[in-house]
Amino acid sequence: MRLARIRTDHGVVAGEYEDGIVTSDGETYTVGEDGDLVAPCEPSALYCIGRNFAETLEQKGYERSDQPTFFIKPPASIVPHEAPIPYPTFSEEVTYAGELAAVIGERCHDVSPEAAADVVRGFTMMNDVDALDQPGLTSRKAFDGSGPLGPWIETDVDPRSLEMHTDINGERRQAANTELMLWGPYELLSFLSERFTFQPGDVIAFGSPGNPGTIEPGDEVEITYEGIGTLRNTVAPPRE
């Protein structure tokens, strides 16, 4: 099942998505006619894993750490599917990362890897937009518009062996399988839950393979994960 949220004249409506239609409480809403999709959840935070593919370590020259590396994006980082990604005014070197993301379904803390699947509502995709020329992970990755998310939540998918790819203007830039992750999704959820209490709608993004190249205003970014769908956004000029 795919769960989506659409902004209508009567506010945001959440329901089941199929073939461009969101159904909620017996009412149907056509995407593009009755409104546009918004982010599929409202997280209190987006917890992001870094350096989770061997390819990324090799590309950046990193050593594998003893435990996962992570950082946090705020809700202001979110950009919905098909909405423009604002190119940051303070950077001249911006890149992307096509990531699988879990959406938490219930308040939870200190969840075991074996029980992690039970607290997940489903999976979506995030683009970890990164201002590479800024110092420190927070200034690089936690700014407004740095977390495109969506388009929906897929509730029926096994995250442990999914093919993925990222295309920039139709050119393949990333391709991998989630089975190549150094730490698996449920292992990572458990690791983070020992440190944080998750709220319904919170997001955990699991990292991406190496990402050659940067993005510029006008570029179209498409992130596809098998069994989930495609997150698509175009990079907009810097805000004045």
Side-chain angles (χ1 to χ4, degrees):
M1 179 189 302
R2 289 176 173 174
L3 305 176
R5 300 168 69 239
I6 183 172
R7 187 181 304 280
T8 73
D9 292 339
H10 307 291
V12 174
V13 175
E16 184 175 346
Y17 175 92
E18 185 174 5
D19 296 331
I21 304 292
V22 177
T23 302
S24 178
D25 295 330
E27 299 290 332
T28 60
Y29 304 87
T30 301
V31 177
E33 295 181 10
D34 297 315
D36 295 323
L37 292 179
V38 296
C41 56
E42 293 184 280
S44 66
L46 295 87
Y47 301 89
C48 306
I49 300 294
R51 307 180 187 180
N52 196 29
F53 282 79
E55 181 184 356
T56 303
L57 301 185
E58 294 170 3
Q59 180 187 22
K60 302 291 186 181
Y62 298 139
E63 296 291 332
R64 179 173 178 175
S65 61
D66 294 333
Q67 65 181 32
T69 300
F70 65 90
F71 56 94
I72 297 174
K73 290 179 185 276
S77 67
I78 293 175
V79 174
H81 174 66
E82 297 281 15
I85 301 171
Y87 196 97
T89 57
F90 49 82
S91 178
E92 296 180 353
E93 188 179 9
V94 179
T95 190
Y96 54 89
E99 306 197 3
L100 176 70
V103 179
I104 299 297
E106 61 186 67
R107 189 178 187 275
C108 57
H109 175 73
D110 202 9
V111 180
S112 70
E114 294 75 22
D118 295 333
V119 303
V120 173
R121 183 183 304 168
F123 292 88
T124 188
M125 292 158 289
M126 189 192 81
N127 183 358
D128 177 22
V129 178
D130 186 341
L132 288 173
D133 54 1
Q134 300 302 298
L137 285 178
T138 299
S139 57
R140 282 176 46 189
K141 294 172 173 285
F143 54 89
D144 287 5
S146 64
L149 187 72
W152 43 68
I153 299 168
E154 174 56 62
T155 64
D156 186 19
V157 65
D158 186 336
R160 292 167 291 190
S161 182
L162 300 177
E163 294 289 333
M164 67 79 62
H165 61 263
T166 300
D167 295 342
I168 309 296
N169 300 325
E171 176 188 356
R172 187 65 38 89
R173 296 281 188 89
Q174 292 181 302
N177 190 293
T178 58
E179 66 185 5
L180 300 175
M181 290 180 176
L182 301 177
W183 289 279
Y186 295 133
E187 183 182 6
L188 290 167
L189 190 156
S190 176
F191 170 82
L192 289 172
S193 75
E194 186 178 358
R195 292 152 176 80
F196 305 102
T197 298
F198 295 139
Q199 303 298 328
D202 282 354
V203 170
I204 303 171
F206 300 111
S208 82
N211 73 24
T214 57
I215 49 176
E216 302 291 343
D219 286 347
E220 182 182 71
V221 184
E222 294 182 301
I223 297 167
T224 300
Y225 271 80
E226 174 189 6
I228 301 176
T230 298
L231 169 65
R232 182 182 304 106
N233 301 91
T234 299
V235 182
R239 292 170 174 163
E240 296 183 358

